[in-house]
Amino acid sequence: MCEAMLMELDTRNCWTLAEALGHSGPHRLQHFLARARDEHDLARDRLAAWIASELADDQAVLVVDETGDEKSSTDAVGAAHQYSGTLGGVGLCQVADHLTYASRRGHAVIDRELYLPAAWAADEERRLLTHVPDERESATKPQLAADMLECARALGIRVRWIAGDEVYGGRELRLAARRLGFDHTMESRRITASPPPPAPSPPPNSPRRSPRAPGHACAPATASRATATTTGPCSTYPPTTPPPDTQPATPTWSSAVTATRANSPSAAAIAPPPSPWPHWLR
């Protein structure tokens, strides 16, 4: 089947594939697709081990990423309106995590896990209709990635680094990678403080900037001073409103890349300086 799918054919079905392979009819391929029983996980493990041996490199990297496949209805397992980079936004699609073995000799996908949204996993009727196993529950994408990394470690696949974007840059997957003994480099999302907006300039004739009078260093202000209050020094601003130049900085999102060795107690970060915000906002 794999050999036939790699052939250059105008139309692909069991008849044309069987003819290209030299079979007398499509029965063998039809049996393989419709009635044969196979162990998907066992086939995945053997394929992953073969790929790692063929592309073996002491600087190899395991890359975790997600891919969305557009669907026409929610009948497909896990299909829902969700973000997909392939679609360039939110759309009706399936999303799956993929684990890729990459080296200087080439790269290939060695594992996959389908993302099952929480609403989909809780719909018992749809689970029965699509034969979703009872033990399969909704899991986050970092959790799915951790399961694939654990499988790769069990197969003895040796790599230099694990890499992922900000979807996988959270604490959960980084701890799992360290527990499994993988060095990792992840993109993480951080909160940084942007400088406050500049204070607006007062009008030319305002009390804060009086026009100069001929022959005088500065003309006296025409507005009376504000009365003293217990909230602070005298000011022309109301006591409850701080001047514009004392407004707090506005938090904004930014990304950073962190690289951590598995035997290192802390991350060697290629990142901005520590955020001034509390830990629960980081």
Side-chain angles (χ1 to χ4, degrees):
M1 175 63 74
C2 294
E3 181 183 355
M5 293 298 294
L6 293 175
M7 293 180 178
E8 295 292 337
L9 301 175
D10 295 334
T11 304
R12 286 183 173 85
N13 55 48
C14 287
W15 285 92
T16 58
L17 295 180
E19 182 179 359
L21 291 172
H23 296 177
S24 58
H27 311 293
R28 293 170 60 183
L29 295 181
Q30 289 174 344
H31 172 76
F32 174 76
L33 293 176
R35 295 179 295 276
R37 297 180 60 87
D38 55 4
E39 293 291 340
H40 295 281
D41 292 343
L42 180 60
R44 173 206 60 196
D45 293 345
R46 290 181 176 177
L47 183 61
W50 177 78
I51 290 173
S53 64
E54 291 294 317
L55 304 179
D57 186 357
D58 58 355
Q59 297 296 321
V61 179
L62 286 178
V63 182
V64 185
D65 198 9
E66 58 178 5
T67 302
D69 296 321
E70 187 176 11
K71 297 297 177 181
S72 58
S73 72
T74 57
D75 294 337
V77 178
H81 288 277
Q82 50 194 330
Y83 176 81
S84 168
T86 306
L87 301 180
V90 177
L92 182 59
C93 60
Q94 281 179 327
V95 175
D97 278 9
H98 291 84
L99 187 65
T100 300
Y101 184 95
S103 72
R104 288 173 289 190
R105 298 184 178 183
H107 64 276
V109 176
I110 63 172
D111 204 350
R112 79 286 174 262
E113 287 290 346
L114 180 65
Y115 172 67
L116 199 63
W120 224 104
D123 193 330
E124 294 294 336
E125 182 179 0
R126 285 199 293 184
R127 291 177 67 104
L128 290 173
L129 291 175
T130 54
H131 305 284
V132 177
D134 294 337
E135 62 273 13
R136 185 61 185 267
E137 299 179 354
S138 178
T140 64
K141 294 169 186 176
Q143 289 173 343
L144 297 177
D147 292 342
M148 293 191 293
L149 293 177
E150 189 168 356
C151 181
R153 175 58 76 195
L155 292 174
I157 295 178
R158 302 177 63 86
V159 295
R160 182 69 179 85
W161 292 97
I162 296 171
D165 60 15
E166 64 180 16
V167 175
Y168 308 94
R171 179 181 177 86
E172 184 178 18
L173 184 57
R174 288 188 282 112
L175 290 178
R178 185 177 298 179
R179 174 175 55 83
L180 295 171
F182 286 119
D183 296 345
H184 59 275
T185 174
M186 301 287 185
E187 183 180 4
S188 60
R189 177 176 290 186
R190 296 176 177 231
I191 297 181
T192 58
S194 62
S201 301
N205 294 326
S206 67
R208 294 175 58 86
R209 189 169 63 186
S210 303
R212 292 182 181 272
H216 296 278
C218 182
T222 57
S224 59
R225 291 180 176 270
T227 56
T229 65
T230 58
T231 59
C234 295
S235 172
T236 57
Y237 287 89
T240 57
T241 304
D245 55 354
T246 63
Q247 294 289 347
T250 303
T252 58
W253 291 108
S254 65
S255 296
V257 177
T258 59
T260 306
R261 295 188 180 276
N263 57 358
S264 174
S266 62
I270 309 172
S275 173
W277 295 90
H279 67 88
W280 49 270
L281 281 178
R282 297 175 189 170

